[in-house]
Structures are given as structure tokens and as C-alpha cells.
Amino acid sequence: MKIKINLGAISEPMQSEKLKTGDWGTHYPVVDKEKCTACKTCEQYCPDLCIEVEEFGEEKYAAVDYNYCKGCGICSSVCPFEAIKMELKDIFKFEVC
Amino acid sequence: MKYFGSGHGACPGCGLPIAVKTVLNALDGKVFAVNSTGCLEIISSQYGKNAWNVPYIHSLFENPAAVAAGVEAALKALKRKDEGYVVVFAGDGATADIGIGTLSGAFDRNHDILYICLDNEAYQNTGHQQSGLTPPGESTTTTPAGKVLPGKIGGKKDMISIAVAHGIPYVASSSVGYVADIRRKVKKAVKFEGAKYIQIHSPCVTGWGIDGEMSIKVARLAVETALYPLVEYEYGKLTSVRKIKERKPVEEYLKQQRRFRHLFKHPKGKEMIEMLQKFADENAEKYGLDLKKDEE
């Protein structure tokens, strides 16, 4: 890997998107499309800017970018319609024997 | 358009990115961001992984206000002031302890800057040491709860009153729990000519010992218990406060967090909780926070 070094340590904007933080968390949010009213509350509170209300044909609901979601669960806790549920990732579902 | 990128290094559930993105979106990215050393600098400006999409400068812990004053003066001299607002993002340590000298100077000269203090109530970046804005009774690594002392002794520095005493045009406090409130206050603040100060209460998941999903709820509880009143001063006069419908006892806020859990077992803990409740009552009295009282 090559790193370009500028004088005075100037770095390019929005380079953080190279760091995919999606694998940090243990949980991931699942949006219930029927309950979601596209009110954008989750969009305003998401600290990782990875949940956005988008249009899918005629429907409009919140969509999660799992590349960056850290699974904090803020979207689920602020949702006024309880449309977002946090679920455990498959790799953490193991039995201890 | 995004002004603050995904993929920054904040802990899951951190309040800082919520505050920063709300401020940047409220000003449509017309911002020259000045950042002090602290959590925000560490999470957003690692070399090669910069999260900012606005002009950004980081200098030192003690001089964000002085750097912002310089940026503002330069923009004035170059006649480029219409290009954006100079906004400082500083932590509570940089504001209340280390940088208070340069902050006071910038307020005194009344530079046209918006100073935002992101108050997470300790030096969380270096591992939860107490700062001037740490509330009494909090167990930090420099004021640990032991056999004798129940956490920090003393009080939380009243930075709002200190800023008001400088005679600057706009001073306000806000909370990450209410992003609409932040947005409104930031939009209002930039209309004033001169130094503006907004203090935003922002939860820290690791320092406070809370679950990531609880951070917004805990931030709202701080407001609902009157421990963190949301107020607004214009030219030294109190113009608006966020009223509380039913004020909750402070225990409800304290028992959610690991940093206060010793208060429920410690011999002096009860005394400390009573002191915090008295502090909340005084806030409610001073700012007239209770909605019921007004109606009677």
C-alpha cells in the first residue's frame, strides 16, 4: 500500500469512507417496511450516517448501509413507531458446550 | 450531501458525530471547522481517514478559540466572510479548563465565531479523567470513588454563566437528545454578529458506562431531571427555556450509568444524591423549568 504524504499533513475530504466499520458491532438493525412511515427520525440520530430514507418504486422507507453500521441501536431506540429491531449477527449465535 | 463521513472511529452510540453532523447540516456545510484536541479530533481526523467534507483545521488543546479568531480575522481582511461561518468544535476540557484563556480572549474581542462546546463531562479521549464540567459525585480515574470520597467533590463549572458574563450576543445550551433543538439554536446563533457560544450535552458510552442504544435516552433524562437545562440567552437576557412537563427524580438518571453506581452503596452516596437533587431543584427554580408551576 502506498501513502501519499503532503506537507503540513493535509488530507483529502471524506477519506473515512475507506474504513468499513460494518463489522464492529454484534447486532444489526432490521427495518419493518410496513411499520416505517419515512419520518426520518432515525436518519437524524444515526451517529454513523448510515440509515437513510429512500424511495423504492412507490414505497418509501428507511434503508441501512450495512457497510458502516456499527450496531449501536440508537435508530431502534428513537423510532417512534417501533419499526426497527436489533438482531444478533449469525456469527455470534453459537452454543457453548 | 454529507458533510461528515461514515466510517469515522467513534464508539457505537457516541453522541459527538450526531452533534457535529446536525450543526454542519443546519449550516448547509458553509463552515470553516476549527477543532481542538479531544475525542472528536481523534475519531474524525486520523491521517488518511479524514471524515470532514468542510475546510477543517486542528491545532492544539488550548487554542481553538484563538485559531478561530485568526481564521475569522483573515477572512475579514481578504473580504471572504460570505463564504462561510467559522465554527469551533471543542470538548469540555478544552473549553472549561485548558482553553478558557483563549476562549475568554476571543469573547472579549467579540470575534464573529460560533463556539460549540461538546460536553461529555470528562476527558473521555484519554480515559475518563475529571474536567471542570464533570458533575459532582462522578467516579473518574482521577477522582475515583473509594472508602472515603464518593467521586468528584465540588461542582460543575457554570460555563453558560461565564459566557453570559462576557457580554456576548448569544449563549445557549442544548443536548444531543434533541437534535431539532440543536438545529434551531445553531441557525439562530449565526444570525448574530459577534461571538456565540453553544454548549451541547453529549453522552459518552465508555466513560459513562452505558449501552450504545441508551445514549439518546440518557441524554434526554439529563434534561428531564433538570440536571442539564436547555436555555437561551440573547445579549445577556434569558429568552427561552425548554420546559419540563413532569420533572423526574435525579436517581432515574444516575442509576442508568456506571459512573454513578457507587452512589447507591457508598456511605456518603445518599448525601451526594441529595446534593445533585438540590442542584436540579435550583436549576428548575432559576430558569423556571417546571411547566406545572406556571399553571398554578
Side-chain angles (χ1 to χ4, degrees):
Chain A
M1 196 184 108
K2 275 188 184 173
I3 300 178
K4 201 178 134 199
I5 295 176
N6 303 303
L7 277 176
I10 301 160
S11 60
E12 310 269 309
M14 300 289 263
Q15 293 296 297
S16 64
E17 299 199 336
K18 283 193 284 192
L19 185 70
K20 301 268 192 279
T21 49
D23 54 354
W24 283 25
T26 52
H27 288 70
Y28 66 100
V30 178
V31 182
D32 188 335
K33 290 164 199 168
E34 311 235 309
K35 282 186 187 170
C36 179
T37 59
C39 68
K40 297 193 176 185
T41 307
C42 51
E43 199 180 305
Q44 292 174 31
Y45 282 99
C46 176
D48 294 293
L49 301 95
C50 63
I51 186 161
E52 267 174 21
V53 173
E54 285 171 27
E55 279 181 48
F56 299 90
E58 286 185 4
E59 281 181 281
K60 221 175 161 192
Y61 53 85
V64 186
D65 186 348
Y66 293 106
N67 280 328
Y68 299 109
C69 176
K70 290 174 190 162
C72 63
I74 284 183
C75 51
S76 151
S77 75
V78 297
C79 182
F81 305 99
E82 294 179 1
I84 305 174
K85 290 239 146 56
M86 298 304 291
E87 280 181 25
L88 192 66
K89 283 180 186 170
D90 281 345
I91 51 161
F92 295 102
K93 285 180 190 161
F94 47 79
E95 282 174 29
V96 181
C97 47
Chain B
M1 195 180 159
K2 277 183 189 175
Y3 302 110
F4 194 75
S6 304
H8 54 71
C11 309
C14 179
L16 302 178
I18 306 176
V20 172
K21 78 165 185 183
T22 309
V23 172
L24 295 180
N25 286 341
L27 300 176
D28 294 323
K30 278 181 77 181
V31 168
F32 295 98
V34 180
N35 195 189
S36 68
T37 305
C39 255
L40 183 62
E41 177 239 336
I42 301 297
I43 63 170
S44 68
S45 70
Q46 305 159 48
Y47 189 65
K49 293 199 188 78
N50 175 30
W52 298 78
N53 201 11
V54 294
Y56 169 88
I57 179 168
H58 161 250
S59 179
L60 293 171
F61 221 137
E62 60 272 31
N63 65 1
V67 171
V71 172
E72 192 261 344
L75 289 172
K76 212 177 194 175
L78 296 168
K79 298 197 172 67
R80 285 173 58 184
K81 277 202 75 176
D82 54 334
E83 282 179 30
Y85 308 101
V86 183
V87 181
V88 186
F89 293 98
D92 55 296
T95 304
D97 301 344
I98 304 176
I100 197 165
T102 56
L103 176 64
S104 183
F107 282 172
D108 182 37
R109 296 186 298 273
N110 211 8
H111 281 284
D112 191 14
I113 58 170
L114 171 60
Y115 192 102
I116 289 175
C117 167
L118 300 160
D119 178 11
N120 52 19
E121 305 196 316
Y123 291 89
Q124 309 292 10
N125 162 38
T126 46
H128 199 51
Q129 287 86 17
Q130 73 110 14
S131 79
L133 288 178
T134 302
E138 176 172 344
S139 170
T140 67
T141 43
T142 44
T143 57
K147 279 180 189 159
V148 183
L149 292 178
K152 184 186 172 178
I153 302 295
K156 186 180 165 88
K157 201 183 271 187
D158 193 356
M159 274 306 291
I160 297 289
S161 300
I162 293 173
V164 169
H166 281 82
I168 59 171
Y170 187 83
V171 179
S173 64
S174 191
S175 168
V176 162
Y178 301 91
V179 287
D181 187 72
I182 303 178
R183 210 179 302 130
R184 185 179 68 79
K185 282 175 179 164
V186 168
K187 279 186 179 166
K188 192 172 182 183
V190 293
K191 286 182 189 152
F192 291 87
E193 174 88 30
K196 286 84 68 176
Y197 178 81
I198 302 179
Q199 189 171 311
I200 301 177
H201 195 221
S202 165
C204 169
V205 280
T206 50
W208 295 12
I210 51 174
D211 210 20
E213 63 177 349
M214 289 302 292
S215 63
I216 297 294
K217 283 185 185 166
V218 169
R220 286 182 183 166
L221 270 176
V223 176
E224 283 163 6
T225 53
L227 279 172
Y228 212 91
L230 304 189
V231 300
E232 220 176 349
Y233 283 90
E234 285 170 39
Y235 297 104
K237 285 213 177 77
L238 186 66
T239 51
S240 87
V241 293
R242 191 189 175 90
K243 300 268 183 190
I244 307 162
K245 257 185 207 157
E246 269 174 63
R247 193 145 55 83
K248 291 176 179 160
V250 290
E251 281 96 334
E252 242 174 269
Y253 170 66
L254 303 178
K255 73 184 175 196
Q256 303 278 355
Q257 306 170 55
R258 192 186 55 218
R259 60 175 178 160
F260 290 119
R261 70 175 170 191
H262 60 278
L263 292 182
F264 298 94
K265 306 183 280 217
H266 202 276
K268 283 184 192 160
K270 214 178 163 195
E271 211 177 293
M272 214 67 189
I273 293 173
E274 274 166 17
M275 202 183 117
L276 282 162
Q277 184 62 56
K278 209 180 127 213
F279 177 62
D281 292 343
E282 278 171 8
N283 273 340
E285 187 73 29
K286 186 178 168 191
Y287 298 113
L289 296 172
D290 291 319
L291 201 62
K292 270 187 186 166
K293 235 182 194 174
D294 286 3
E295 288 164 358
E296 276 164 16

